[in-house]
Amino acid sequence: MWGKSKHRIWNIVWVGVFLGILAGCSQSNISWTHYQGAFVESSFPIPEEVKDMDTIINNSKMNYVRYELPGIESSTLPESYLQEIKNWGWKQQQESVSEGKTNLVFIQGDRTLQLVLQKNYLTVIVPDKSSRAPIAEATINP
């Protein structure tokens, strides 16, 4: 009898360890402490934990990359991330909020970049320099 219950206890322990590993691997918290350059603009910081979702290059009006960023809301960014963007030399020019998303525009020298926040997603948009379309018109709707 003791042998069967001992076996059950070990099975429960192993299942608990396995579920703990899965929970750790799927952690949705972003540390906001380590950054890498965005795919479409390497001088713009993106948290290292984000996942590259989809990219369009050589679009006639813009280049963009949309990152999965679990836990982010569409209305705000952590102050530490905004400070890191400034530390990388970018200045925020404008912000617009519409239902379900926030658009932030940043400038560094002659480069302009738009950051679109949506629930669990962050999109970095770099307009083509030859395009005369305003950056707000280049918004991506997933």
Side-chain angles (χ1 to χ4, degrees):
M1 188 67 147
W2 168 246
K4 286 185 179 182
S5 70
K6 186 176 180 183
H7 184 70
R8 285 184 188 157
I9 290 171
W10 277 109
N11 284 341
I12 291 170
V13 167
W14 284 114
V15 168
V17 168
F18 179 73
L19 291 175
I21 290 170
L22 282 179
C25 290
S26 65
Q27 182 180 3
S28 64
N29 294 334
I30 303 296
S31 69
W32 303 106
T33 58
H34 295 90
Y35 299 91
Q36 62 189 10
F39 184 75
V40 293
E41 179 56 68
S42 63
S43 68
F44 191 84
I46 296 294
E48 284 184 349
E49 296 97 342
V50 298
K51 296 179 180 154
D52 189 351
M53 288 298 291
D54 64 319
T55 309
I56 289 184
I57 303 296
N58 298 325
N59 181 302
S60 63
K61 292 185 181 180
M62 67 185 152
N63 295 327
Y64 79 91
V65 61
R66 188 176 119 191
Y67 295 99
E68 183 177 0
L69 195 59
I72 194 166
E73 294 298 323
S74 59
S75 60
T76 186
L77 284 173
E79 190 58 41
S80 60
Y81 182 43
L82 292 172
Q83 184 58 50
E84 188 69 21
I85 293 169
K86 289 178 188 174
N87 292 347
W88 283 44
W90 290 87
K91 295 180 182 179
Q92 185 174 342
Q93 293 300 303
Q94 68 185 68
E95 176 178 359
S96 66
V97 180
S98 60
E99 187 175 331
K101 63 184 171 183
T102 299
N103 298 313
L104 305 165
V105 176
F106 294 92
I107 294 180
Q108 183 186 67
D110 65 343
R111 293 179 287 190
T112 302
L113 177 141
Q114 182 176 4
L115 203 59
V116 179
L117 302 171
Q118 294 177 296
K119 186 173 175 81
N120 297 320
Y121 294 97
L122 177 74
T123 303
V124 179
I125 302 170
V126 179
D128 185 271
K129 290 183 180 184
S130 63
S131 173
R132 295 180 183 230
I135 194 165
E137 290 179 12
T139 302
I140 305 301
N141 292 315

